[in-house]
Amino acid sequence: MYDLIIVGGGPSGASAGRVAGRAGISTLLLEKENFPRYKPCGGALSPYALSCLDFKLPESVVERDISKIRIHFREHCTERQSSSRLALLVSRNVFDNFLLDKARETGIEVHFGEKVLDCEEREEYVEVKTLQNTYLAKFVLIAEGSGGMLKYKVRPQRDRRTEYGLALVSEVPEDDEVIRNRFPGVIDIHFGTAPGGYGWIFPHAGYYSVGVTGTAEYLKHPKKVMQDFLRANGFSGELQVNSHIIPVGGIKRKTISSRLLLSGDAAGFVDAFIGEGIAYAIRSGQLAAENVADLVLYDRKLSALKEYESRCRQEFGNFLGSSLKLEKVMHRFPETSFKLVLSRKEILDKYLDEVVFSRSHKDYVRWLLLNFSLAEPSSKIKSATERNR
């Protein structure tokens, strides 16, 4: 009988495992893959993501330190240099493996190559079935990402077209010197590339991460959108394209039952506007493990599990809700919205200050509406914003 079983060894599961191990509760982490493993992702760690870690990332994990952003919308382009770090770029296979090593050093048990098939809640425990074994635990954290089905043990399944976005990613090999000359400490974002999303080019070590993301409901021909984006930016040849789904952040989802918890992408914790999920995966995993450890060590009632939901809501729930409102406004009126952003320097500067560093979409949107007299299409933006509050 374990105190906690964690399903999934990505950033959320690994972060939960580290907290659980340091708290001294008996913990088993089950990961279906063998690490290190490939993970399609742009690999950008925000200042918030880095602030959640209780250790510094070694140089061997960090590939680029980003302080500049370049924004495109059709023929328009603007570039901004920040006085502070905007992101660190990592390869997810290296970063995720490092996080899991940090969890394992606390003494938790980790099983690789063991896929969880089912979780059944009983009155006193949860029964976890894999291809190899059956385990028992007082609590189970489902941190298997957005593609797994175990989350529907906690909440009902909804239409994936409206609940998820779709991302396509390709790693394009290139010489480091060429990459540094083309993108010197800058990330490239292209709005207007995909419905309800954007395209990106991130300069990693020895390769570019190139991708597009958009709302699954409106992204009718994703492979064509991706191929067009690659060609438009000078990337040719036989390039492998991988895809994954992204939960639409800000949608209120149930994240606990009596003995099951959801974290990270499985819980839907993603910034709806930019698609960032790593930070919320890390932090929600930590909060889930802290809550379980509190229940186990102090023999608290099961009802105290609700504190996990309230803590997530307090720490980042309102931010994610506001990100969904901003996403709806910006992508509903892209011509007006993005042309305005690119034409006025202070709009992007304020976004970096209020959203990236101060983490407040709500304050940013309020500032935007108060400080700019917009034309007729933009008055519709204001009305849409007010309806989405």
Side-chain angles (χ1 to χ4, degrees):
M1 175 70 74
Y2 292 92
D3 293 322
L4 174 64
I5 289 179
I6 301 169
V7 182
S12 196
S15 299
R18 180 170 173 82
V19 169
R22 296 180 75 180
I25 62 174
S26 60
T27 302
L28 169 64
L29 188 151
L30 298 169
E31 167 53 50
K32 65 180 180 179
E33 305 285 349
N34 290 306
F35 273 44
R37 54 87 174 96
Y38 172 74
K39 177 70 175 179
C41 179
L45 301 180
S46 67
Y48 177 56
L50 295 169
S51 73
C52 293
L53 302 176
D54 66 326
F55 46 81
K56 185 177 180 180
L57 293 180
E59 291 183 5
S60 59
V61 174
V62 177
E63 296 184 337
R64 295 280 186 262
D65 195 333
I66 302 298
S67 60
K68 189 185 299 184
I69 185 169
R70 188 181 297 149
I71 302 287
H72 304 258
F73 180 71
R74 311 212 194 286
E75 71 278 9
H76 305 281
C77 179
T78 188
E79 190 173 288
R80 289 292 176 269
Q81 173 76 50
S82 173
S83 58
S84 302
R85 171 185 293 149
L86 294 176
L88 290 181
L89 297 186
V90 298
S91 289
R92 286 291 302 276
N93 62 329
V94 176
F95 175 71
D96 289 11
N97 193 58
F98 177 75
L99 288 191
L100 196 50
D101 281 345
K102 297 299 286 186
R104 295 171 73 187
E105 72 181 22
T106 67
I108 69 168
E109 191 176 341
V110 177
H111 293 185
F112 293 107
E114 191 163 356
K115 179 179 174 60
V116 174
L117 304 176
D118 197 12
C119 294
E120 289 293 336
E121 288 184 280
R122 312 298 185 195
E123 186 175 350
E124 299 293 332
Y125 59 88
V126 183
E127 187 177 78
V128 179
K129 296 180 180 180
T130 73
L131 283 172
Q132 294 90 336
N133 294 291
T134 297
Y135 304 97
L136 306 180
K138 295 175 184 175
F139 298 95
V140 170
L141 174 63
I142 298 171
E144 60 176 355
S146 59
M149 302 298 288
L150 293 175
K151 58 178 171 285
Y152 300 123
K153 292 288 183 176
V154 175
R155 61 180 177 84
Q157 185 171 0
R158 303 200 296 191
D159 188 344
R160 285 195 171 198
R161 292 173 301 172
T162 58
E163 191 177 1
Y164 288 92
L166 179 66
L168 294 91
V169 188
S170 183
E171 285 78 34
V172 183
E174 185 56 276
D175 183 78
D176 262 358
E177 186 174 352
V178 174
I179 294 174
R180 282 193 296 270
N181 288 335
R182 183 176 179 183
F183 296 102
V186 61
I187 55 176
D188 221 34
I189 304 294
H190 296 249
F191 289 106
T193 299
Y198 60 91
W200 77 82
I201 305 172
F202 291 172
H204 285 264
Y207 72 95
Y208 300 106
S209 173
V210 184
V212 296
T213 180
T215 306
E217 185 178 8
Y218 304 113
L219 197 58
K220 302 299 184 183
H221 305 287
K223 289 186 178 179
K224 182 181 184 305
V225 172
M226 179 63 174
Q227 293 298 336
D228 289 346
F229 182 67
L230 286 166
R231 283 194 295 269
N233 287 279
F235 301 115
S236 59
E238 294 296 322
L239 299 173
Q240 184 173 352
V241 175
N242 297 283
S243 63
H244 64 282
I245 58 174
I246 302 173
V248 176
I251 295 177
K252 292 183 178 179
R253 298 171 170 93
K254 186 180 179 184
T255 57
I256 61 167
S257 57
S258 60
R259 293 182 179 273
L260 299 177
L261 304 89
L262 305 180
S263 66
D265 279 12
F269 295 147
V270 174
D271 184 313
F273 183 58
I274 63 173
E276 180 195 7
I278 298 175
Y280 310 104
I282 292 171
R283 189 62 186 135
S284 61
Q286 293 169 339
L287 293 174
E290 287 173 8
N291 195 224
V292 169
D294 192 44
L295 267 68
V296 170
L297 297 174
Y298 300 102
D299 197 25
R300 299 183 64 195
K301 293 181 180 180
L302 282 178
S303 59
L305 205 63
K306 293 180 180 179
E307 293 176 7
Y308 168 64
E309 286 188 319
S310 63
R311 289 192 66 187
C312 287
R313 186 166 52 251
Q314 290 167 6
E315 291 215 17
F316 52 74
N318 291 334
F319 179 84
L320 296 183
S322 297
S323 78
L324 181 58
K325 295 171 186 176
L326 181 61
E327 185 271 339
K328 288 182 180 298
V329 169
M330 297 296 283
H331 292 299
R332 185 175 179 184
F333 307 100
E335 292 288 337
T336 300
S337 302
F338 293 111
K339 283 183 179 179
L340 180 64
V341 169
L342 270 63
S343 66
R344 303 295 292 268
K345 172 182 179 294
E346 62 268 37
I347 293 180
L348 183 53
D349 290 342
K350 190 71 172 180
Y351 178 85
L352 297 179
D353 290 340
E354 291 288 349
V355 180
V356 176
F357 298 118
S358 300
R359 304 189 62 253
S360 177
H361 281 116
K362 184 180 292 186
D363 288 346
Y364 176 67
V365 172
R366 184 183 297 116
W367 172 86
L368 192 64
L369 295 176
L370 287 174
N371 286 273
F372 292 92
S373 176
L374 309 178
E376 172 58 26
S378 298
S379 65
K380 297 177 183 178
I381 293 179
K382 183 172 182 178
S383 298
T385 304
E386 290 172 345
R387 287 196 302 271
N388 283 310
R389 279 177 182 164

